[in-house]
Amino acid sequence: MMTNVHRIDTNLTLDVGCRSSSASAAEEWQSFKILFHDFADLPSGVDQCTRLSEFSCNGHRWSIKLYPGGKRASRTGCLSLYLELCSGGYATAAFEVSILDKFQSVKHTKKLMDYDFDDSTNWGWKDHCLRSYILNQSENILDDNGTLAIVVSINRKNDSAFPFVPINPTFVPSNPMSSLITSMLLDEETSDVCFEVGTADVYDVDEAASSPVTFHAHRLILKKCAPMLASLFGSYDEEIVAASITDVKPAVFRHMLHYVYGGSVPGKEMNAHAKDIINAADKYSIVNLKLEAEAAYVNSTKITMDNAMDNLLYADALNLALLKEVVMDFLAENSEEVTENMSFADVPGHVMKDLLVAFSRTKKTKQDNQGDNNNFTIMRVNELRMKLDEKGLNGAMQMKMMMTRWRSEMADRILG
């Protein structure tokens, strides 16, 4: 529900499809009521956006982007909603979005705290709520004219908390140290170890070679950033200078080693090789790379009745909490069809508990997300990861925490 510091003034109403009006300031939060007229008739295809005219708050111009049919990565039937910074520069904002019913009571609220915006970053929810929930007449959300009313509230705090940065700020070169370390990768002159990666009979034709591909590296960097790779060379006293890698494609290994040296995997390459990168990062415990590749795989994969079970077993085998959550949500949302057409004979027993968690989370969403917001057992993976990151816990500990059977006990101890 909306906190007491929010003041919703009927004079602060923005209309989509009809009229618009300006807003004035409140004390700590500034709230804007937005009316989406004829909500049921708004474009509802995947990635089809209805964008609100800009409004001003904290010296910046903002807009709301609504996707009635959701984004490509959204759960089936969910709408997506994002806050967009339109004025250029940078801003930090806490904000929340509340859906009102036709009696002007708050039905559904979500909040994000202290997120950094720039002209290329939007923040919000790809699964804000079910579109069918809004259209359901028994919920009394749409008024008699089919208008959806939402309230967007942005935390004003004070001017110093939201400094305005001009579109063309003073240029200062970035710290070059990270790029210098990255440039050391494959430097044969300074390297003291090397990997021989791949054989001709286990890879795709276009990657086959008569001999393995050599990657030069530095034992000290590997020891600090990728201990399992460093262990292939033994101790410093053993003076092993070459290690053979036969279960990873050279292209994938190059991405992994580049990441270890502080680089990143380009988005297109990450999407193309996501599963191979997950497997390699899992085998050699490059945890953060595994998390990034898992996110890329989730965002580029549509879960269907045909692939749900394979993805579920894969996610469970490699402890991919985000992928497992997406599959579980799909199963929960399509429970009747799943019951009729899918066999769970090969599913490990502990996964059934995870499925019950997904059903509980779906039920909680349909009950307007009211109740205990600190129920770590059913908390969303992204939300729990953000809480753990705020506590300074690394990717390995986060992976452990994502296992449902660990969540309640460990979260209470760490976050409580």
Side-chain angles (χ1 to χ4, degrees):
M1 297 292 290
M2 191 167 289
T3 58
N4 292 330
V5 297
H6 294 222
R7 184 174 67 203
I8 303 175
D9 190 329
T10 54
N11 292 326
L12 306 184
T13 300
L14 302 176
D15 295 81
V16 177
C18 236
R19 58 188 185 279
S20 63
S21 61
S22 59
S24 60
E27 293 178 357
E28 293 187 20
W29 290 75
Q30 188 168 1
S31 298
F32 303 83
K33 186 198 293 183
I34 301 170
L35 303 180
F36 290 92
H37 300 285
D38 297 317
F39 173 79
D41 295 330
L42 294 177
S44 58
V46 175
D47 284 332
Q48 287 188 300
C49 177
T50 297
R51 187 174 181 274
L52 173 69
S53 298
E54 297 176 7
F55 57 94
S56 296
C57 182
N58 305 318
H60 296 277
R61 297 192 307 278
W62 306 85
S63 182
I64 289 292
K65 298 174 71 174
L66 175 69
Y67 298 81
K71 299 278 286 180
R72 185 162 60 90
S74 301
R75 288 191 294 135
T76 303
C78 282
L79 64 81
S80 306
L81 193 149
Y82 297 89
L83 179 65
E84 176 185 30
L85 177 65
C86 304
S87 54
Y90 305 88
T92 299
F95 66 99
E96 72 176 34
V97 175
S98 298
I99 293 177
L100 306 182
D101 63 18
K102 65 181 181 180
F103 308 112
Q104 302 304 295
S105 298
V106 175
K107 290 281 289 184
H108 180 94
T109 297
K110 285 195 172 184
K111 178 187 291 186
L112 292 176
M113 300 298 293
D114 298 335
Y115 276 69
D116 295 325
F117 290 80
D118 57 35
D119 55 7
S120 63
T121 302
N122 306 320
W123 290 106
W125 303 269
K126 65 180 176 66
D127 301 320
H128 188 271
C129 68
L130 290 171
R131 182 170 181 267
S132 59
Y133 165 69
I134 294 175
L135 295 174
N136 188 343
Q137 293 184 0
S138 66
E139 298 291 346
N140 292 314
I141 294 178
L142 301 181
D143 68 13
D144 295 338
N145 296 318
T147 298
L148 169 66
I150 71 171
V151 173
V152 179
S153 302
I154 301 177
N155 194 317
R156 290 172 53 83
K157 293 185 179 178
N158 52 60
D159 291 341
S160 62
F162 294 96
F164 177 76
V165 180
I167 296 178
N168 296 309
T170 303
F171 174 76
V172 178
S174 59
N175 188 336
M177 295 302 107
S178 177
S179 60
L180 288 175
I181 293 175
T182 303
S183 70
M184 293 174 63
L185 176 62
L186 309 182
D187 185 350
E188 184 174 358
E189 183 177 345
T190 61
S191 67
D192 52 5
V193 294
C194 70
F195 297 94
E196 303 289 343
V197 181
T199 57
D201 57 343
V202 295
Y203 298 118
D204 298 333
V205 173
D206 59 349
E207 291 201 29
S210 58
S211 60
V213 180
T214 299
F215 295 89
H216 295 279
H218 303 77
R219 192 191 296 256
L220 180 61
I221 293 177
L222 295 176
K223 184 176 181 181
K224 194 68 176 176
C225 303
M228 286 197 67
L229 285 176
S231 69
L232 298 178
F233 301 100
S235 66
Y236 279 96
D237 295 335
E238 295 180 68
E239 295 186 354
I240 300 174
V241 295
S244 177
I245 303 288
T246 60
D247 53 0
V248 180
K249 297 177 182 179
V252 172
F253 190 83
R254 181 185 295 273
H255 287 312
M256 184 170 69
L257 202 56
H258 183 66
Y259 190 91
V260 168
Y261 273 69
S264 60
V265 182
K268 191 173 182 179
E269 289 293 302
M270 181 70 87
N271 290 335
H273 301 289
K275 203 165 185 178
D276 286 333
I277 292 175
I278 290 172
N279 295 338
D282 178 75
K283 178 177 178 63
Y284 294 105
S285 294
I286 316 297
V287 177
N288 267 66
L289 177 60
K290 179 181 175 182
L291 294 177
E292 288 190 27
E294 178 192 11
Y297 182 76
V298 166
N299 290 331
S300 60
T301 302
K302 182 175 179 62
I303 303 301
T304 66
M305 294 296 297
D306 293 331
N307 66 21
M309 186 56 66
D310 287 341
N311 278 298
L312 177 61
L313 296 176
Y314 177 62
D316 183 67
L318 271 69
N319 191 21
L320 303 173
L322 185 61
L323 177 59
K324 181 185 284 189
E325 179 181 82
V326 170
V327 177
M328 290 293 188
D329 286 342
F330 174 84
L331 297 178
E333 288 290 338
N334 300 275
S335 56
E336 293 185 7
E337 187 177 357
V338 167
T339 303
E340 294 176 359
N341 300 296
M342 191 173 290
S343 170
F344 286 81
D346 297 327
V347 176
H350 64 269
V351 176
M352 300 310 297
K353 179 180 178 181
D354 295 338
L355 185 56
L356 291 176
V357 168
F359 276 101
S360 177
R361 184 167 52 236
T362 301
K363 181 180 179 182
K364 185 172 183 289
T365 298
K366 293 180 178 179
Q367 292 175 343
D368 307 329
N369 283 339
Q370 295 178 355
D372 182 10
N373 291 326
N374 289 318
N375 189 335
F376 300 112
T377 301
I378 65 173
M379 184 177 289
R380 287 277 173 195
V381 169
N382 279 334
E383 186 178 356
L384 183 54
R385 280 178 177 168
M386 285 189 288
K387 288 181 179 291
L388 295 172
D389 190 65
E390 290 171 359
K391 292 292 183 179
L393 298 181
N394 61 25
M397 179 59 76
Q398 291 187 28
M399 277 281 190
K400 193 174 185 181
M401 278 287 299
M402 291 305 109
M403 298 171 63
T404 302
R405 58 185 179 274
W406 288 75
R407 282 192 181 189
S408 183
E409 175 186 350
M410 295 186 68
D412 284 338
R413 184 168 72 248
I414 295 171
L415 302 174

